[in-house]
Amino acid sequence: MNGKHDITLTINGQAYAIRVEARRTLADVIREECGQTGTHLGCEHGVCGTCTVIVDGAPVRSCLMFAVQCDGAKIRTVEGLADGEEPHPLQRAFMEHHALQCGFCTPGFLMLAVGVLEREPDIGDEDLLDILSSNLCRCTGYANIVKAVRAAAAQMRRR
Amino acid sequence: MAADKTAYLGRSVERLEDPPLVTGAARFVADISFPGQLHMRVVRSSYAHGEIISIDTSEARLMPGVVAVWTAEDIADIGPVDFRADRAAEGLKPYRQPVLAKGRVRYVGDPVAAVFAEDPYLAEDAAESVVIEVEELPVIVSADDPPGEFAAGRGTEAAVMHHSYGDIDAAFANAERVIALDLRTGRHSGVPMETRGAIGRYDAAKDMLELHGAAKVPHRNQETLVRMLGRDPSRVHVHECHVGGGFGVRGELYPEDILVLVAAMRLGRPVKWIEDRQEHLMCANQGREQHHLARVAVDAEGRILGIDDEFFHDQGGYVRTHGSNVANRTMCTITGPYRVPAFRAVCHFRLTNKTPCATYRAPGRYESTFVRERLMDAIATELGIDPIEVRKRNLIAADEMPYTIAFDEPHVSDMVLDSGDYAGLLDKAAAAFGWEALRVELDRRRADGELVGAGIGMFVEEGGRGPTDGARIAVDANGDVEVITGGASLGQGFETTMAQICAEALGVDYRRVRVIHGHTDLIPYGIGAHATRATVMTGSAVNVAALMVREIAIDAAAEMLQTPADELDINDGTVVRRDGPTGPSVTLGEIARRLAPGAAGPGQGDPGQGNPGLAAEGFFTTKDTVFPYGVHLAVVRIDRGTGQVAVERFMVAYDVGRAVNPMMIEGQLVGGCIQGLGGALYEEFVYDEEGQPMAVTLADYLVPSLREAPDIEVLITEDAPSPLNPLGLKSAGEGGINGVGAAIAGAIGDAIGDPGAVRRLPLTPGRVRDLLRQADAASPGTP
Ligand code: FES
Ligand code: FES
């Protein structure tokens, strides 16, 4: 049962050829084997969304996938959002609107919002709120997260 | 905002903390790894109470990657997790929690064994193979139950505590009316999004033991570790990393912190432990669960003559680092903002077979506010007085400040309410909320058959208790400023707050100020971030130290520029003439170079004496507490069919004394308020009659999501700066949560048409439906 598998994950454009047990979650492998610790784990059972990353264009909860399921996939994490020194519009908006306090939930919210806004730039406000309500934050009370995402969405549409 | 670009106090500047947090560069404890580290997994009791018959670790020891498996015997030399130095409660010591259970287990989740392995998955595999045989003992799941046995010859009622003043019997004898209520607050906790975690590391070359993780009270934790592990104070250090929310729960010492440290020394490798969510919901401190039998005596006008409260505090399986602090805070704050001539509280501090309890944001005060404000609403109803009016008749007046509440018990410190215009804030809040018009509107909607109502929660918070905190500030040759504090940050914006205070006092851009906290090896003192002390105590110390650095800089510049010191000012990091900023000037970096050790700087005497550079260490000392205060106002609508409560409006009005960064204060208030709504409406740690916890995932313990988070209206006032510190600071961390349970309870009672109906939090849909049924039964004929 503990046989290992050779897989390749492409994270933020960089390929990681690794050997992992089938039972290792994508989240653990991104964090431990690939050293990208910006993706956090808040519950490991699919409720909180802090572990959200983008796999082949879609936001997913990396605690609910096994790394072997992502062999060959293109994965994006919070570390890949900024364009060099230039923060992503969502990162900028989160700072401007004080959409984070402890910041533990932030990577998950950023990846969720990026994933959604890239796929559906014209998403309606109600649908946007619905999607954002799938992640949890214990510090902010959400109002500023919503403000930040709305502001960034408007800016991303203008681009 | 202030036009002067060096005015940083009171400005909503962006946070210094944010860039690493939005880019993934932050380092939370799980993100830190040391070469050669082992991973710990704790084997926990699945019984709520029982005698341990045997623990079989033989299979686990043979499993791949396992380095050691420990039970209590392996660490027999380590005592129980101790109380903090300032909580010497001798009588409670027998109730402390052993690092690994000895003889008995006392709650589901009680650590019984620890597995150390090369990989966390292997550690978990091995932990599953440990077999614990337990002979079950009677389980106590409620502090209402008659006390049982904690250990042979020792009962579960660990203490009966008293707070009193005035002639309570006379107050009740002379009362026009006596109202008695039976009230309960549910069991909640902070439930930060990051679970706990700790890394123990022993550097044999330096004989240095390090604990990496959260540390809301780094130096107090260090002192406790020194005592428990018998090490030199300079050879145990606490290192704080990024922390994903504290709320009173994170950063206390728990058994797991001790385990990783002892294991790091004995196994000779770093030991990392990261809690999973289920463990967190079974093992991290919980709180709030109290049952009050409260009575109030009033005169014919609704003026309070006395409050008499007997309550049962559910402490769970052990007494943790705080001792009985939460129960004490409850007793001290029951009277809140009101003039209460006579008072008596009796607390039955009882252990039960549930997760141990300690502080959770607004500890003891969320509970006492619920009790007090339920009493106020009951007085209003009984005497037919408007709920705002009844409060006004009883509020302590601004001209009575400072207002001292002196308790009869010699060991209970006086409460000296430092400043406040309570009625003024109530007026402002009611006006901003449109209270008068709202009442009319709600009457109309109720007449139309809607279940809508409004409620009030009024309270006094407390913060910034002394005695002393300090800060060290140094300017480097580049003009950048380093502030070293003994504070701690659990994600509330501590760095930005301190940087703003320093920037304002010194005259630099706050972005050039780097704030260090949570490392006991860098500074030998510090009060940490509990009881919202940080802004007040550490902030005041930073202010003192920055003013000292400012004076040194100006004196040096006076000599360098050949200008009298009183004609100089510091603007954006440069010393300039007050009258002509275009004249000769010198930067702080230049001054720092001039004053550097070894440099022949002016006014610093002989360089051979060891020049301290452009640096100073400042202290702030107070024996007093500051008391911010607030009003919460809520409007709710109840769905008659489902019992679901929708919060239509909620206002937090709060006097912070002085707002360093209004954006961050608003953020704290809103976040705390939503957390409070969780506790008022959704969240509860429920246990079955066997003591099995029913809420062990985030799918059972219902933290509010965006859909349960209404827009919160915030009114921040600065009417009553504290006279106790030079900046007038109070604090904001707990003002968003304190009155939520009270306001929501009042609003639901109002909506149901029976203001006194609500006796218990949280108001889950099932409980609200019960209330509706009761109300219907009481008044047949209504829809
Ligand atoms: S950690 Fe994946 S959803 Fe919570
Ligand atoms: S900012 Fe702390 S959990 Fe969201």
Side-chain angles (χ1 to χ4, degrees), chain A residues 99-106 136-140 145, chain B residues 193 244-245:
Chain A
L100 60 149
Q101 288 178 33
C102 78
F104 192 77
C105 69
T106 309
L136 294 177
C137 170
R138 192 63 160 163
C139 300
T140 63
I145 294 178
Chain B
M193 292 318 299

Side-chain angles (χ1 to χ4, degrees), chain A residues 1-2 21 23-25 28 31-32 37-45 47-48 50 78-82 91-92 94-98 100-107 110 125-130 132-144 146-147, chain B residues 14-15 18-19 21-24 26-28 30-31 33 119-122 125 189-195 243-245 247 272 275-278 360-361 490-492 663-664 666-668 670-672 674-675 683 696-699 701 703-707 709 711:
Chain A
M1 130 192 168
N2 291 351
E21 281 179 77
R23 64 175 177 166
R24 285 187 90 81
T25 65
D28 282 345
R31 290 175 47 80
E32 306 300 333
T37 55
T39 300
H40 300 153
L41 286 163
C43 72
E44 296 175 273
H45 52 247
V47 182
C48 72
T50 45
V78 69
E79 287 93 341
L81 272 188
Q91 290 173 313
R92 187 87 286 273
F94 266 58
M95 294 191 278
E96 273 166 15
H97 293 274
H98 188 32
L100 60 149
Q101 288 178 33
C102 78
F104 192 77
C105 69
T106 309
L110 288 170
D125 202 54
E126 267 307 297
D127 290 341
L128 186 63
L129 294 181
D130 252 350
L132 291 177
S133 69
S134 56
N135 279 18
L136 294 177
C137 170
R138 192 63 160 163
C139 300
T140 63
Y142 303 102
N144 288 347
V146 173
K147 275 185 214 152
Chain B
E14 274 184 39
R15 300 200 318 165
D18 289 350
L21 293 168
V22 299
T23 54
R27 306 267 280 156
F28 294 88
D31 307 338
S33 287
D119 174 280
Y121 283 64
L122 297 176
D125 289 345
S189 187
V191 189
M193 292 318 299
E194 182 194 26
T195 56
V243 180
F247 316 128
K272 180 169 179 173
E275 184 180 54
D276 69 30
R277 181 54 69 181
Q278 183 177 2
Y360 166 35
R361 207 172 194 177
L490 300 155
Q492 339 77 326
M663 170 189 83
M664 283 170 26
E666 181 165 336
Q668 287 268 308
V670 170
I674 301 300
Q675 209 168 26
E683 298 171 28
V696 294
T697 72
L698 290 180
Y701 188 84
V703 165
S705 82
L706 172 51
R707 283 300 185 196
D711 279 334

